[in-house]
Amino acid sequence: MTTSEQFAGRVAMVTGAGSGIGRASALAFAARGVAVGVCDVNAEGGKETVSLIESVGGKALFLHTDVASGDAVREAVDTIVASYGGLHFAHNNAGTFAMALTGELSEADFTRVLNVNLLGVFLCMRHQIPRMLEAGGGAIVNTASIWAHTGMPTQAAYVASKHGVAGLTKTAAIEYAAQGVRVNAVSPGYIETPMTAANPPDAVAAILSRQPIGRAGQPEEVAAAAAWLCSDEASLITGAVLNVDGGYLAH
């Protein structure tokens, strides 16, 4: 079966799809013939992603989704299933960060980051998995980070959340492997996105100096990895946290 054949007629949900990695992932699924539920709190960005997909003949709909709200996530999943007849793939990618030393990080900022990055991934899987079981199986990819494997000064909340994403991914993978739902994660290194553009130049330089490939990554490179993890070529892979980091974690 060709790649286009295995994706044809399938349905995906992508969070944080209004820009960056999420937009690239939504476009990658659509290019493979998948109908995409484009989820984001940024309506302008999300609708632009839908327009990009439709402009090349793909199918997509925008859903205003706060992943930290269980009701909002459930409504998005239900709408996708009602619109396209099922749910087979998901890329839970929505994320945020707060920059401060641990002793100076506010409780509000810590909670906000954990709610989006970790609770959000849990809520998405909580509502996606039953729908995938109804469809006879599926594949989920969560966005972790190189910071799911190590520490980073001034990023206590982000690092904690991404360690949690890796743990959630592995646990769900064990729980649902026998029922045909595979759950994996990607761990991007430094990727050029609107979110990473907010990092101080010296911090970016320090990260890039440790990426042996010698450059920043592009959103499309992470999206390609996510799409591959959902494909039949990755049928034996579940519970993996795949580094897409230009060799950063090989040190």
Side-chain angles (χ1 to χ4, degrees):
M1 182 181 295
T2 66
T3 299
S4 58
E5 288 173 338
Q6 63 184 267
F7 281 108
R10 300 297 184 92
V11 181
M13 173 178 176
V14 181
T15 68
S19 64
I21 292 171
R23 171 174 287 177
S25 181
L27 290 168
F29 277 121
R32 290 161 171 79
V34 178
V36 185
V38 172
C39 303
D40 207 300
V41 292
N42 179 350
E44 182 179 357
K47 291 176 182 178
E48 184 178 347
T49 299
V50 170
S51 294
L52 289 169
I53 291 171
E54 292 179 338
S55 71
V56 293
K59 293 195 296 185
L61 76 160
F62 171 69
L63 303 110
H64 188 273
T65 311
D66 176 2
V67 296
S69 164
D71 288 342
V73 171
R74 182 179 63 250
E75 182 177 350
V77 172
D78 288 349
T79 300
I80 292 167
V81 172
S83 299
Y84 294 128
L87 182 64
H88 309 94
F89 309 123
H91 185 182
N92 299 319
N93 169 75
T96 189
F97 72 101
M99 187 177 295
L101 295 172
T102 302
E104 300 170 7
L105 181 65
S106 72
E107 181 178 345
D109 277 346
F110 185 87
T111 300
R112 173 178 59 83
V113 173
L114 268 288
N115 281 347
V116 174
N117 295 7
L118 183 55
L119 176 63
V121 169
F122 162 74
L123 290 172
C124 284
M125 290 198 296
R126 167 70 181 81
H127 294 289
Q128 292 159 354
I129 288 171
R131 293 302 201 163
M132 290 183 180
L133 293 174
E134 290 174 3
I140 295 171
V141 177
N142 300 319
T143 296
S145 168
I146 52 174
W147 310 125
H149 309 270
T150 185
M152 176 63 173
T154 76
Q155 293 292 341
Y158 189 83
V159 170
S161 70
K162 294 303 184 177
H163 274 71
V165 168
L168 274 176
T169 297
K170 294 173 184 178
T171 297
I174 294 167
E175 292 172 336
Y176 293 99
Q179 298 176 66
V181 176
R182 296 186 297 106
V183 187
N184 294 292
V186 287
S187 283
Y190 186 84
I191 309 296
E192 290 183 340
T193 70
M195 188 172 82
T196 59
N199 286 307
D202 57 340
V204 174
I207 296 170
L208 290 179
S209 71
R210 287 179 53 88
Q211 287 194 181
I213 205 165
R215 62 173 176 82
Q218 297 302 312
E220 293 77 13
E221 294 175 297
V222 182
W228 177 76
L229 284 170
C230 289
S231 75
D232 291 347
E233 282 80 5
S235 59
L236 191 62
I237 302 175
T238 195
V241 183
L242 178 64
N243 301 334
V244 189
D245 66 350
Y248 185 98
L249 290 170
H251 284 278

